[in-house]
Amino acid sequence: MPPTDPLEASVHGKTITTGQACEFATPGSLPPCTLVIFGASGDLTARKLIPAFYSLYLTESLPESFTVVGCSRTRLSHDEFREKLKQAISKEEKIDLERWDGFAAKLFYQPVTYDSQESCRELAEYLNDLDRKQNTGGNRIFYLAVPPTLYPVIAQRIGEVGLSQEGENGRSWARIVVEKPFGRDLQSALDLDNVLHKSFTENQIFRIDHYLAKETVQNILMFRFANTIFEPIWNRNYIDYVGILAAEDLGVENRAGYYEQAGVLRDMFQNHMIQLLALTAMEPPALFEDDRVRDEKAKVGRSVKRLARETLMDNLVLGQYKGGMIDGKEVPGYREEKGVNPDSITPTFAMMRFFVDNWRWQGVPFYLASGKRLARKETKIVVQFKNVPHSMFRKVLDEKITANRLVLGIYPEEEITLIFQTKVPGAKSCLRPVTMDFTYYQGFQGSPLDAYAKVLLDVIMGDHMLFWRQDGVKLAWSYLTPILEECETCSNPEARLHPYEAGGWGPVESLDWMSLIVD
Ligand code: BG6
């Protein structure tokens, strides 16, 4: 009999319930804590952090005692801060503000001048006092929702006033959360790390990559290592190539100041794309534990074949969008965007061929592509299998047999699809490729967890699984820095930058590769 509840499935005749065992930790099991947000009057706080924290409050997923202390240079009272956030999040239609007042009572505000030791000392006193009143146990998360140029000074001041110190025997903890970019090349990444490590140990540092918090990205490891049938064929013997696509239809929006300095290689490749590559290529860790998983990812980083200067441009296509049409609307070219230098040579598209130099992946190309103002927003991993070694059908079928393909869809469809061959029903012997698909939320009745909510919970629990470890950051920059230097300092960088029309799939120079991964 088919299961009646979508959460139930029948295995060997026994009914098992899926999903429920996965309910999140109960509030009582989470340690009390204070989230201290630097940059509390900014966009990230209003658009991401507070909505995520509020959604956790609504589902009663927060610790019993918790507080949020907003800090920034602006002078605000607690009530002004609460009201400002309420106004900001009430713009989000989906948010139910009925229980806002209860949540708002946990929000506090303390103005801080980031480079003043005196001001940070006042913050320390304020936090100690609040701990006593709110029973938050001295556990603190310092979230740097500020421009990266401010990371060093804030980390240093926090350390100087003793806020990074932890209680003995785990009595109280202090954690710092930073978002990418972690530097803009190898040297600046090492410098940033030195500053962070002056006040915090590696275990106290949480480097966010929001791609890692996406459900379907987390699922890659489950899919690969909780099934027997994929792992034996996940190698050079069966896989022809792997494609990783993160295409966006949006342009640079209002981030030209940052993007002009970054470009697509720093913005998407140094972090998200390399993480997707590592998750697809890594070996199975001995245990599903943060450091064991990060060890395996680092090993992929060490195995990626370095590109020699002479062969670099055979393996890399850079592009920049021109004006064009997207969804029937005319959009400007990158150089016409507000804040962009009209002669800018910042790449907004890159497609790069990687090779992972190890036993499993020898000779298998990994095509990674990401760009702005492409035909549509789509994020996916394509695993293309090899052709059948011998076609016994060659006399009856004139068509070529299409090889199997597995697609791990991340956006817009969160789904897994497998394409394989079957016979067309009827008297004639004909083949047709069919698709077997699984939609990620199929049979799941809970509410999906927002990526920022997931990340915040993991920091509260001290789980590093979804965060970058410094060796990974260093490996990613060691790979990319020579490439960036070569592209940016060669005699004619513009000659290597191929313009492409907005609304297409990138420069013509990459279309052959692109056709391998885009339908
Ligand atoms: C960010 C980049 O990290 O990721 C942005 O800075 C990019 O430029 C964004 O648009 C893409 O994220 P997502 O989740 O929309 O694929």
Side-chain angles (χ1 to χ4, degrees), residues 41 55 91 110 128 146 179 344 373 376 427:
S41 53
S55 74
K91 288 190 195 133
Q110 171 75 11
N128 289 339
V146 290
E179 298 230 10
S344 172
R373 286 279 190 237
R376 58 175 180 267

Side-chain angles (χ1 to χ4, degrees), residues 52-62 66 99 102-103 106:
F53 232 55
Y54 182 52
S55 74
L56 292 171
Y57 174 79
L58 291 179
T59 53
E60 293 173 7
S61 310
L62 287 172
F66 80 91
R99 290 172 58 202
F103 177 72
K106 308 276 187 187

Side-chain angles (χ1 to χ4, degrees), residues 398-412:
D398 41 12
E399 76 252 59
K400 191 171 160 285
I401 299 180
T402 313
N404 300 122
R405 170 181 278 222
L406 179 80
V407 181
L408 305 177
I410 298 168
Y411 189 91

